[in-house]
Every structure is written in C-alpha cells, then in structure tokens.
Amino acid sequence: MEQWRSWNPHQRRRIPADTKIATAKRYLAGEHKVELAKELGLASSRPILDWVKEYRDKGDAAFAPPPSSNKGKTARMHAIDNGQDPDADPAPSKPDVMTKKTRAEDISLAEYRQLQDRLLRAEAENAYLKKLRALRQNGQL
C-alpha cells in the first residue's frame, strides 16, 4: 500500500476493491484506522469505517462492480443480448410504412450498438436544445 503515500489527501480518486478489502481486514485485525488512512493518503478515516461495514455485510464480494443495468435498452437490444433474432416475429404485425427494413443479417451487433448509442445521444441533445429554447423564450436566459 506504499503507492498511496505520494497522493494529495484532498484529491478525489478511486481506490481498488482489493485495497479496500485488505484495509478492512487489517482494521478488523486490530490496526488503527487513522494509521491506515495516513498510509493510504486519505484525508479522513471515515472511508475505512465504511469499507469495514461493507466488508462485514457482504464479505469478499463487498466491492464487486454492480450488475449492469438494463435501463435504456429497447426490446430489440434485449433480444440481441439474449442471442435472439429481433426481426423474427412469430406473428407479423401491420406492414410498416418504411420502404427498407434492416435485418439482423445486414448489420453486426457492434454496428447496431453504435447506432443505438448515436440515437440516444441525439435524443438527449434534442431534449437539451428544447429546454434551452424554452428558457430563452421565458426570458430566463
């Protein structure tokens, strides 16, 4: 843990999960929280107590990354993630007004995700611009 000594104690940074677990174990073994905080270059010993609580509650899995969220994913993206063909429709619905459809064979998964990301960014930018226009019209900007 020597690597943390040269850091500014007031600088925000991420401390690796294995360092947090090792520190929690050392605290539980009897080492003083202030000394551990100094060794890690922390401005306070409070994070160590938080790590110990988390370690006591969840053990070695305490600082594992959270499972990825499905928020913002479309049904089409869920189908692709599950290895299904999103274009395979068991009961065809009404014909679409669009002239050309893209089939799963025509586009790779990486291309699809890139296009989905571009669409989400464009939608967010559009919402931002609408709010900006409304604020300007109301004289708030």
Side-chain angles (χ1 to χ4, degrees):
M1 290 193 204
E2 294 288 323
Q3 67 202 18
W4 301 104
R5 283 191 181 176
S6 64
W7 292 60
N8 177 354
H10 301 288
Q11 179 182 359
R12 290 190 63 102
R13 66 186 177 283
R14 292 196 185 269
I15 296 179
D18 56 340
T19 303
K20 293 177 183 180
I21 290 172
T23 304
K25 286 179 179 179
R26 288 174 59 190
Y27 175 80
L28 292 172
E31 291 191 47
H32 198 272
K33 63 184 179 184
V34 174
E35 292 302 318
L36 291 169
K38 282 182 186 177
E39 185 177 323
L40 291 173
L42 298 174
S44 164
S45 61
R46 183 66 214 176
I48 294 174
L49 297 177
D50 295 337
W51 300 342
V52 169
K53 181 181 182 317
E54 187 83 12
Y55 180 73
R56 280 184 182 149
D57 292 345
K58 298 180 183 174
D60 285 335
F63 304 104
S68 65
S69 169
N70 288 332
K71 187 175 182 179
K73 286 190 174 182
T74 63
R76 183 176 177 84
M77 291 174 75
H78 283 292
I80 290 172
D81 289 345
N82 294 332
Q84 301 167 348
D85 181 6
D87 292 325
D89 193 10
S93 59
K94 297 179 186 175
D96 197 357
V97 295
M98 294 180 66
T99 58
K100 184 176 179 182
K101 289 192 175 194
T102 303
R103 298 192 43 80
E105 298 86 28
D106 298 337
I107 188 169
S108 72
L109 181 60
E111 290 173 321
Y112 175 77
R113 289 198 170 143
Q114 285 178 345
L115 290 172
Q116 188 70 26
D117 288 343
R118 286 177 59 191
L119 175 64
L120 291 173
R121 274 190 236 111
E123 288 173 343
E125 183 179 357
N126 189 30
Y128 173 81
L129 292 172
K130 283 181 180 179
K131 282 186 176 185
L132 184 62
R133 181 187 297 152
L135 289 172
R136 282 189 179 158
Q137 286 176 349
N138 292 336
Q140 295 177 358
L141 245 174

